[in-house]
Every structure is written in structure tokens, then in C-alpha cells.
Amino acid sequence: MNTTLITRSNEGEKYLLYAKLDNAKILYNLAKSVNFKEHAVFCALDSGLKISCEDAKSTQGIAFVHTDLFQEYSVKEDCVCIKINLSVLIECLNIFGSIVNSIPTALKICYEGYGHPLSLL
């Protein structure tokens, strides 16, 4: 088991994935760029977050956010992957005010593991 940790607090210790962004618009724009199918795979890797979307094994879109863009980032396994409804994720990020407000909205992403929800705070 590998642990990648860029953190300043103990808040994320209980999560398999814990990440903080000062600006949710970064993730919103990247998720929107690969939004051509309803579902996508959201993977937390040692190097950052990857969102990949595939259509009939002929077209694939991949968006990647490197760990350097996060204020805090920790992954307690080599790869934490979750299949998500990409449209719902985009709508949730939009609710955070990433488009309407000119003031950046901070985002915290938490995931405890299988059977638990992906939390966006």
C-alpha cells in the first residue's frame, strides 16, 4: 500500500481520498471538457486526480488535475477509482458557485472507501 501525502492538517486521516482545492472552477472545467457520456471513472492516483470517459471503446476523454494544484492531497492506496455520474458531478460543482461567482469557491473532496459516498464539501 502506497501513501501520497501533501497535507497541512490531520483532517483527512480517515479517508482513502482527501483533497482540497482553493478554486472549484478548475475541477468543474476539466469535468465539463470530458462530459460526452453519462458515466465516467474518477481515479485518485499518487500523481493527482484523473477523470476518464469512454464512448463505445472508440472515443476516450481524460482530464487530469496534478497534485501541485491542490492545497492538500492524500491518497492511501495506489489507485482509488469510483464510477460516477459525470453530469451530476458537474451540476454539484456548479452549485458551489464555480461559474456564477467571480470569487473562487474552495472545494474539499472526501472518500472513505467502498460503500461510502464521494463527498464534495
Side-chain angles (χ1 to χ4, degrees):
M1 187 183 309
N2 192 6
T3 301
T4 296
L5 186 64
I6 301 172
T7 186
R8 294 177 187 91
S9 69
N10 295 336
E11 192 175 357
E13 287 181 0
K14 72 176 188 172
Y15 300 107
L16 282 180
L17 165 63
Y18 181 80
K20 273 186 165 181
L21 269 171
D22 277 346
N23 191 350
K25 190 173 184 177
I26 295 167
L27 190 59
Y28 172 84
N29 286 332
L30 288 173
K32 197 172 172 186
S33 71
V34 294
N35 187 24
F36 54 86
K37 282 297 269 186
E38 186 176 353
H39 289 90
V41 178
F42 187 87
C43 290
L45 308 167
D46 290 339
S47 54
L49 288 179
K50 179 175 82 168
I51 301 171
S52 57
C53 190
E54 188 175 294
D55 184 19
K57 297 189 181 198
S58 64
T59 306
Q60 184 180 41
I62 298 173
F64 186 77
V65 183
H66 197 274
T67 56
D68 292 342
L69 293 174
F70 292 96
Q71 284 57 56
E72 295 184 37
Y73 184 85
S74 70
V75 178
K76 293 186 180 169
E77 293 182 358
D78 291 335
C79 181
V80 177
C81 291
I82 309 158
K83 186 175 181 180
I84 59 169
N85 185 316
L86 193 54
S87 300
V88 171
L89 175 68
I90 290 168
E91 188 61 33
C92 289
L93 292 171
N94 192 26
I95 289 169
F96 279 106
S98 58
I99 297 305
V100 178
N101 297 334
S102 60
I103 300 169
T105 303
L107 173 67
K108 188 184 334 182
I109 304 167
C110 307
Y111 181 65
E112 288 186 55
Y114 182 77
H116 294 276
L118 177 68
S119 300
L120 304 174
L121 308 167

